[in-house]
């Protein structure tokens, strides 16, 4: 099926390799599942079927279990539907699956909904649906989240199964929260697959997940094979965290905090596109104005400004500053508000990397997150809490799968605001951080969180491994410079 690349991109038409199709079908079509249908033919749907490869594989697997299946495929692409009609046993329909009237008059559901729905980012102009979501996703929900919600409504609620290949961002994305919650209320994830590699030519990292309906996995805290829930938000990050060796979530984060959260003690925000473009004319390797701090300059507990070069707006700088007089009045007001005591946090990192600016001398670049203390909390306390192994483990369980690379997490202001504040004292941890001893700081904050000895050992040894990697990364960069 030859299709132009632009057209494929617009429809999210990246086809699933046979090995992945086979692995998913093997996981979901087993003898017990087929036998539970009592000898009747299984009703199976792929709502974005492409050339029908999932349906063909399901049919073969069902027949190998001694039963039969009626397989249905839908695709928006007329050529795909013609291909399916000609080459498979499926009943194929050319339609936009997200706008079909699905259930027949008897409300017949499907025993299995399976496939690899399109991933069409709502941030991309060519693929946006224009904001509104018919199936419960937030304004930026990927089309895959819409397909997930649609499928959940079409599966037999008593023992039906749903298996999809999805972009890994669905596991923790805020805009997919509702889609995840609806499924967690009615189903259990019983199988998943994630490699951290680009398994096929889709432009994003993917995972595969399978659910059985009729048993809810929702409970507070985290469960081994089901959803985890923190602060009322359900996340499927375990698909990633279990495979990249993140320690289990410390118990303290499964409880409702009596101490409140970071968001109660700091105003958190990040700059956007307007600020980025507004800064460009004022940035230079000159000696006027506050240093510009980009994510790459932030390390846990320290800033490498002036030590390593920075790329900003496609240019390389040795020690970039922002000349305040070169900013327009709106940007000047923006800068004045930010030249106050704060904590700056890098984005897309393997652990939380935060640094304290106690005298308000730096300006954050994009997409650095800034935390401005409120209510008498010191920026040092905030930096210490963020520099703890416990906080990083929490962030992975909350955000695993969100990074642009498999070993990183995206920690935006809204997520960080949800971080539980530790109950114990932070004075010694702050002193350690001020003296540059971030390991001691991390250990003391973990203690202030009340982690058990076992939890402390586990999170600390994982965190130290990543710290070593960060240090080695710097050695390599320094040699390259
Ligand atoms: C990622 S491909 C998957 C195809 C096939 N299921 C596979 O796994 O190889 C996504 C498919 O969804 C189709 N598609 C895109 N938007 C759709 C929509 N709104 N309704 C139905 N199909 C759609 C595309 O034409 C494409 O064939």
């Amino acid at each position: 099926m030859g299709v132009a690349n632009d057209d494929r991109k617009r429809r999210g038409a990246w086809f699933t390799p046979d090995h992945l199709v086979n692995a998913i079908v093997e996981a979901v079509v087993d003898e017990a599942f087929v036998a539970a249908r009592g000898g009747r033919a299984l009703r199976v749907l792929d709502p974005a079927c492409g050339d029908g490869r999932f349906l063909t594989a399901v049919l073969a697997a069902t027949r190998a279990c001694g039963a039969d299946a009626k397989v249905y495929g839908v695709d928006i692409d007329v050529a795909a539907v013609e291909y399916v009609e000609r080459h498979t046993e499926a009943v194929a329909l050319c339609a936009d699956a997200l706008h079909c009237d699905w259930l027949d008059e008897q409300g017949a559901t499907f025993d299995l909904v399976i496939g690899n729905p399109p991933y069409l980012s709502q941030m991309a102009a060519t693929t946006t649906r224009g904001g509104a979501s018919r199936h419960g996703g937030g304004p930026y929900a990927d089309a895959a989240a819409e397909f997930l919600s649609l499928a959940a409504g079409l599966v037999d609620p008593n023992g039906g199964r749903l298996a999809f290949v999805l972009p890994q961002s669905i596991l923790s994305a805020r805009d997919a929260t509702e889609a995840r919650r609806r499924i967690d209320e009615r189903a259990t994830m019983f199988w998943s697959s994630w490699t951290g590699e680009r398994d096929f030519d889709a432009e994003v990292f993917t995972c595969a997940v399978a659910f059985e309906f009729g048993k809810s996995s929702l409970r507070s805290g985290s469960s081994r094979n089901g959803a985890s829930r923190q602060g009322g938000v359900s996340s499927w990050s375990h698909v990633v965290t279990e495979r990249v060796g993140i320690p289990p979530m410390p118990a303290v984060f499964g409880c409702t905090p009596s101490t409140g959260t970071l968001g109660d003690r700091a105003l958190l925000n990040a700059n956007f596109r307007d600020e980025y473009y507004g800064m460009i004319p004022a940035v230079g390797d000159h000696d006027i104005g506050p240093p510009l701090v980009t994510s790459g300059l932030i390390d846990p507990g320290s800033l490498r400004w002036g030590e390593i070069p920075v790329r900003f707006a496609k240019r390389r700088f040795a020690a970039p500053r922002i000349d305040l007089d070169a900013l327009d009045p709106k940007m000047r007001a923006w800068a004045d508000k930010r030249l106050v005591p704060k904590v700056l946090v890098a984005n897309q990192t393997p652990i939380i990397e935060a640094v304290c600016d106690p005298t308000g001398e730096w300006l954050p670049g994009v997409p650095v997150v800034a935390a401005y203390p409120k209510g008498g909390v010191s920026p040092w306390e905030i930096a210490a809490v963020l520099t703890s192994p416990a906080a990083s483990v929490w962030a992975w369980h909350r955000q695993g799968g969100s990074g642009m690379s498999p070993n990183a997490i995206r920690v935006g202001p809204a997520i960080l605001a949800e971080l539980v504040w530790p109950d114990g004292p932070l004075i010694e941890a702050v002193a350690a951080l001020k003296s540059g001893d971030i390991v001691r700081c991390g250990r003391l904050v973990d203690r202030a969180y009340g982690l058990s000895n076992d939890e402390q050992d586990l999170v600390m040894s994982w965190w130290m491994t990543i710290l070593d990697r960060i240090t080695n990364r710097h050695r390599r960069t320094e040699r390259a410079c």
Side-chain angles (χ1 to χ4, degrees):
M1 281 173 59
V3 273
N5 213 39
D6 277 2
D7 185 45
R8 286 181 68 182
K9 193 168 178 179
R10 196 173 40 73
R11 288 185 292 110
W14 312 107
F15 296 100
T16 320
D18 287 344
H19 70 86
L20 188 55
V21 172
N22 293 336
I24 295 168
V25 170
E26 197 179 310
V28 293
V29 182
D30 54 31
E31 284 188 359
F33 178 64
V34 171
R37 312 298 117 185
R40 74 165 166 77
L42 266 66
R43 277 170 55 82
V44 179
L45 169 71
D46 182 342
C49 65
D51 61 7
R53 59 189 69 194
F54 271 103
L55 297 173
T56 303
V58 168
L59 201 51
T62 312
R63 286 180 179 157
C65 292
D68 209 354
K70 280 187 183 162
V71 293
Y72 301 87
V74 174
D75 203 287
I76 204 163
D77 177 30
V78 70
V81 170
E82 279 171 12
Y83 181 93
V84 171
E85 276 173 344
R86 217 169 299 135
H87 295 94
T88 77
E89 294 179 45
V91 176
L93 173 71
C94 186
D96 177 346
L98 296 174
H99 292 88
C100 280
D101 283 331
W102 272 102
L103 300 179
D104 61 21
E105 276 132 41
Q106 285 79 43
T109 51
F110 294 90
D111 299 298
L112 174 63
V113 180
I114 193 164
N116 180 358
Y119 324 142
L120 308 174
S121 164
Q122 293 308 307
M123 297 298 275
T126 49
T127 60
T128 186
R129 65 168 176 268
S133 158
R134 201 171 169 216
H135 298 280
Y140 297 113
D142 193 298
E146 298 286 284
F147 271 85
L148 194 60
S149 292
L150 166 79
L154 297 175
V155 178
D156 175 0
N158 300 307
R161 288 183 172 182
L162 161 55
F164 268 173
V165 180
L166 295 167
Q168 70 168 33
S169 57
I170 293 274
L171 300 173
S172 58
R174 219 177 160 70
D175 273 58
T177 304
E178 186 57 16
R180 292 193 300 269
R181 192 187 57 76
R182 284 186 189 178
I183 292 181
D184 288 339
E185 277 172 0
R186 297 188 291 130
T188 301
M189 191 190 294
F190 68 93
W191 178 88
S192 65
S193 157
W194 178 86
T195 60
E197 283 167 21
R198 287 186 205 277
D199 289 325
F200 52 102
D201 51 0
E203 290 183 329
V204 295
F205 291 99
T206 57
C207 60
V209 286
F211 300 89
E212 181 157 316
F213 281 65
K215 302 175 223 158
S216 166
S217 66
L218 260 198
R219 26 182 206 273
S220 61
S222 59
S223 60
R224 205 179 150 273
N225 268 327
S228 68
R229 226 165 135 74
Q230 300 100 42
V233 180
S234 84
S235 155
W236 296 339
S237 293
H238 63 91
V239 170
V240 173
T241 56
E242 284 171 3
R243 291 177 168 98
V244 293
I246 309 297
M249 178 80 102
V252 63
F253 296 114
C255 313
T256 311
S258 58
T259 45
T261 61
L262 176 56
D264 299 325
R265 291 163 173 85
L267 176 73
L268 293 116
N269 60 35
N271 300 321
F272 286 108
R273 192 186 286 244
D274 285 357
E275 285 92 13
Y276 172 78
Y277 287 111
M279 277 180 226
I280 292 176
V283 175
D285 266 333
H286 40 62
D287 52 11
I288 324 158
L292 169 68
V293 175
T294 59
S295 266
L297 293 175
I298 301 173
D299 268 4
S302 62
L303 186 71
R304 309 201 80 217
W305 186 88
E307 289 171 32
I308 52 170
V310 175
R311 279 195 77 76
F312 176 79
K314 300 194 182 137
R315 286 163 63 205
R316 192 178 153 106
F317 298 97
R321 290 179 183 272
I322 297 191
D323 178 359
L324 297 178
D325 292 336
L327 293 172
D328 69 26
K330 197 166 149 229
M331 281 302 293
R332 179 62 197 250
W334 164 86
D336 288 343
K337 267 199 212 148
R338 277 149 186 86
L339 289 168
V340 294
K342 60 188 168 295
V343 176
L344 298 182
V345 187
N347 208 333
Q348 302 277 354
T349 48
I351 53 176
I352 297 178
E353 302 187 19
V355 66
C356 186
D357 173 18
T359 45
E361 291 172 16
W362 307 330
L363 279 176
V366 179
V368 171
V369 175
Y372 303 92
K374 60 183 187 187
V377 173
S378 95
W380 284 107
E381 287 174 300
I382 292 170
V385 168
L386 288 169
T387 308
S388 65
S392 283
V393 169
W394 167 84
W396 263 99
H397 284 275
R398 185 69 183 68
Q399 282 295 92
S402 62
M404 295 203 337
S405 100
N407 293 318
I409 39 171
R410 186 194 300 250
V411 282
I415 301 300
L416 289 177
E418 291 170 14
L419 175 63
V420 168
W421 193 257
D423 201 11
L426 294 169
I427 300 168
E428 285 182 51
V430 164
L433 184 61
K434 283 182 177 173
S435 73
D437 189 346
I438 59 163
V439 174
R440 183 170 157 73
C441 165
R443 194 165 283 130
L444 291 165
V445 176
D446 283 357
R447 235 177 262 164
Y449 267 119
L451 265 56
S452 70
N453 289 343
D454 284 354
E455 286 177 331
Q456 285 183 43
D457 290 348
L458 268 176
V459 300
M460 183 52 90
S461 77
W462 164 78
W463 191 72
M464 291 291 291
T465 314
I466 313 261
L467 271 187
D468 282 350
R469 247 186 260 156
I470 293 172
T471 314
N472 289 334
R473 176 183 80 197
H474 289 328
R475 286 206 191 106
R476 278 199 304 276
T477 316
E478 274 150 19
R479 273 202 299 272
C481 292

